[in-house]
Amino acid sequence: MAKTYTDKLWELAAAEVLSQESGDGEDAGDAEGGEAAGERTVFLMGSKAAGKTSILLRCLDRDEAAKPTLALEYTFGRRAAGHNTPRDIAHLWELGGGTSLSDLMQIAITATSIRSLSVIVVVDLSAPCALWATLETLLQAAQFHVEQGASQARQVGKSRTGAKHRAPAPFAARVLPRNYPDRELISPFPVPLLIIGSKYDLFQELSSDKRKVVCKTLRFVAHYHAASLVFSSIKSESLMSKTKSFFSHLAFNADMGKTVSFDSTKPFIIPAGSDSLSQIGSPPMTDVDITSLHARNPKDLWKKVYERIFPPENTSEKKEVNDPAKDPQYSEQQIDAMRAQKDQELEEYKKNATKSWKGLELDT
């Protein structure tokens, strides 16, 4: 019987665990002592229903229908570097639920994976009011888990000093070249970062002034974090081709191409290091004195300006969605009905229990 995709997935996972337990993964690692040579990890996250799964499937050339991501899902991709050469492997993690399930990042972002880790954030261009909050929340969470993984890696390195196994080299956040634009004024993300603006076809329906604000702000955020920025749409083969080039560069170290586009009337294609603060300019605010916003730093200033134009959405609904059982994405009619019945029984039990305790107090 031919092996299914799931069989191959489990074989790969089992081989990785055995390699780690035997210590072979350290000797077979790359120059930084991370995952085996030719293996990389890509962590994909972003706005809810922004098309993350569809983009991932298209980048992997998989002709299958996209399904809603359940919490955190894993897959992998393989690519041959050339004839008679081992295939490069990309471990691919996708976080569902928008910002509500960010705690699950710790499963994929570990002391082992950070040595070859890249992060992709997909933001929904057609929902500008949620864009800044999504980027800020997810990037802060991802950076926290990368720093946690780095701390764990350092502890492992210390514990193995003098042991028979070679201790892996400590994780070091990426260092930008000396000639990187505005190197002293920005805050680079600790691992390679790609920001994808999805649903560009719907984004074009916004007014010209609003599109300019979103474009200019995303340019700043991407440059501030030393990230690449590309606009995409699953309805456009040309845009998906550019998106795939950026993805393949992170997943398989493939050539990213030399195409660059800063024109706000066209889809952005901006590799990390090709933009600058002088080209981006000041925040797009004309009716309010910028000095009156009392910003603590440039990023805070851009945030205040952006949220003046695109007020953030009501967070009360987001807090409610923090419980996956209340998320309509995971709804199951029979299970939800049974859950509602049990919740009602629980409330009645609490009321009866309260009455019993009050009665005991009175008797005493």
Side-chain angles (χ1 to χ4, degrees), residues 273-287:
S274 60
D275 211 346
S276 67
L277 294 176
S278 61
Q279 290 177 314
I280 297 170
S282 58
M285 179 66 86
T286 56
D287 57 340

Side-chain angles (χ1 to χ4, degrees), residues 41-58:
T41 299
V42 179
F43 188 83
L44 183 68
M45 58 186 182
S47 306
K48 188 175 180 180
K52 299 182 293 295
T53 305
S54 298
I55 291 174
L56 180 59
L57 292 174
R58 293 285 289 275

Side-chain angles (χ1 to χ4, degrees), residues 3-42:
K3 290 185 178 180
T4 65
Y5 173 79
T6 305
D7 293 334
K8 294 179 181 179
L9 178 61
W10 280 109
E11 284 183 4
L12 183 65
E16 182 178 358
V17 171
L18 290 174
S19 175
Q20 292 178 358
E21 290 179 348
S22 64
D24 295 339
E26 296 165 14
D27 296 331
D30 56 18
E32 295 182 353
E35 294 176 345
E39 292 191 28
R40 292 169 175 244
T41 299
V42 179

Side-chain angles (χ1 to χ4, degrees), residues 48-114:
K48 188 175 180 180
K52 299 182 293 295
T53 305
S54 298
I55 291 174
L56 180 59
L57 292 174
R58 293 285 289 275
C59 288
L60 294 173
D61 294 324
R62 292 182 184 170
D63 186 15
E64 56 186 271
K67 299 178 181 178
T69 303
L70 299 176
L72 181 67
E73 295 189 1
Y74 169 83
T75 186
F76 67 93
R78 288 180 175 176
R79 176 170 176 165
H83 295 294
N84 299 322
T85 58
R87 288 189 175 188
D88 293 332
I89 298 175
H91 303 282
L92 309 171
W93 295 88
E94 181 186 352
L95 179 69
T99 60
S100 63
L101 302 175
S102 57
D103 289 345
L104 296 179
M105 291 183 187
Q106 61 185 317
I107 297 175
I109 303 177
T110 64
T112 301
S113 67
I114 59 171

Side-chain angles (χ1 to χ4, degrees), residues 128-289:
C129 290
L131 188 148
W132 185 283
T134 297
L135 269 174
E136 185 175 50
T137 302
L138 290 177
L139 289 179
Q140 286 179 352
Q143 182 160 349
F144 170 78
H145 289 295
V146 168
E147 292 171 353
Q148 287 285 97
S151 176
Q152 293 172 4
R154 285 192 292 269
Q155 293 176 3
V156 171
K158 290 180 180 179
S159 65
R160 291 183 178 177
T161 301
K164 64 176 181 178
H165 295 301
R166 175 176 58 84
F171 167 78
R174 63 179 178 141
V175 178
L176 302 180
R178 291 186 177 182
N179 61 347
Y180 196 95
D182 310 308
R183 184 173 180 266
E184 303 299 327
L185 303 175
I186 61 178
S187 178
F189 199 71
V191 297
L193 174 65
L194 169 63
I195 299 175
I196 299 177
S198 68
K199 301 186 180 180
Y200 182 75
D201 53 312
L202 299 179
F203 177 63
Q204 291 177 296
E205 298 177 4
L206 299 179
S207 67
S208 175
D209 291 340
K210 289 185 176 181
R211 290 201 308 269
K212 288 180 180 179
V213 173
V214 174
C215 289
K216 201 170 188 180
T217 302
L218 281 177
R219 278 184 68 180
F220 169 79
V221 173
H223 182 61
Y224 185 78
H225 291 295
S228 296
L229 174 65
V230 62
F231 285 177
S232 186
S233 170
I234 59 173
K235 297 182 179 180
S236 170
E237 289 297 332
S238 61
L239 292 185
M240 283 307 308
S241 176
K242 299 300 180 184
T243 304
K244 184 178 178 180
S245 297
F246 280 84
F247 170 84
S248 297
H249 177 70
L250 297 179
F252 305 109
N253 198 29
D255 185 11
M256 191 163 50
K258 299 181 180 180
T259 305
V260 179
S261 174
F262 297 99
D263 188 348
S264 61
T265 64
K266 299 178 181 179
F268 276 164
I269 305 172
I270 307 176
S274 60
D275 211 346
S276 67
L277 294 176
S278 61
Q279 290 177 314
I280 297 170
S282 58
M285 179 66 86
T286 56
D287 57 340
V288 176
D289 182 9

